[in-house]
Amino acid sequence: MNTRFSRYNEILEYIYELERQGKVFIIQPETPLNLGRIEKNREKLTNVYNIGYKEAEKRYSAMMEYLAK
C-alpha cells in the first residue's frame, strides 16, 4: 500500500512510452478531473463525461489515422 503511488506513476510512464513508440493511442483529458474514487454527484459525473466526449471528438481524426496504420 505504501508504494501504490510510485507503481501507479511507473505504469503511467510505461503507457506514455508506448504512446511515443506508436503502440497505443491515448485519449485523456488535458486537466485533472478532480473526482472521488466513488463519485455520486450526477452533475460532476455528467461534466466529466462531457469533457471526455469533447476530447474524443478533438482526437477523432488522429485516432482514425492511428487505426489505419
Side-chain angles (χ1 to χ4, degrees):
M1 195 68 145
N2 293 335
T3 61
R4 181 170 46 173
F5 74 93
S6 62
R7 286 187 315 211
Y8 175 80
N9 291 335
E10 287 173 10
I11 291 169
L12 280 181
E13 261 315 304
Y14 174 69
I15 292 169
Y16 294 144
E17 179 58 32
L18 290 176
E19 182 183 41
R20 284 189 286 276
Q21 294 174 12
K23 294 181 178 180
V24 299
F25 186 85
I26 299 173
I27 299 174
Q28 74 182 75
E30 294 177 3
T31 59
L33 299 177
N34 298 320
L35 288 177
R37 290 193 318 160
I38 304 176
E39 184 63 61
K40 295 182 181 180
N41 182 318
R42 281 185 171 215
E43 186 176 332
K44 284 184 178 182
L45 292 171
T46 300
N47 185 42
V48 166
Y49 172 83
N50 290 329
I51 289 169
Y53 194 91
K54 287 175 187 173
E55 188 63 31
E57 281 183 321
K58 285 192 321 191
R59 304 275 327 257
Y60 181 78
S61 294
M63 179 181 65
M64 295 310 288
E65 287 179 27
Y66 174 81
L67 292 173
K69 291 180 185 177

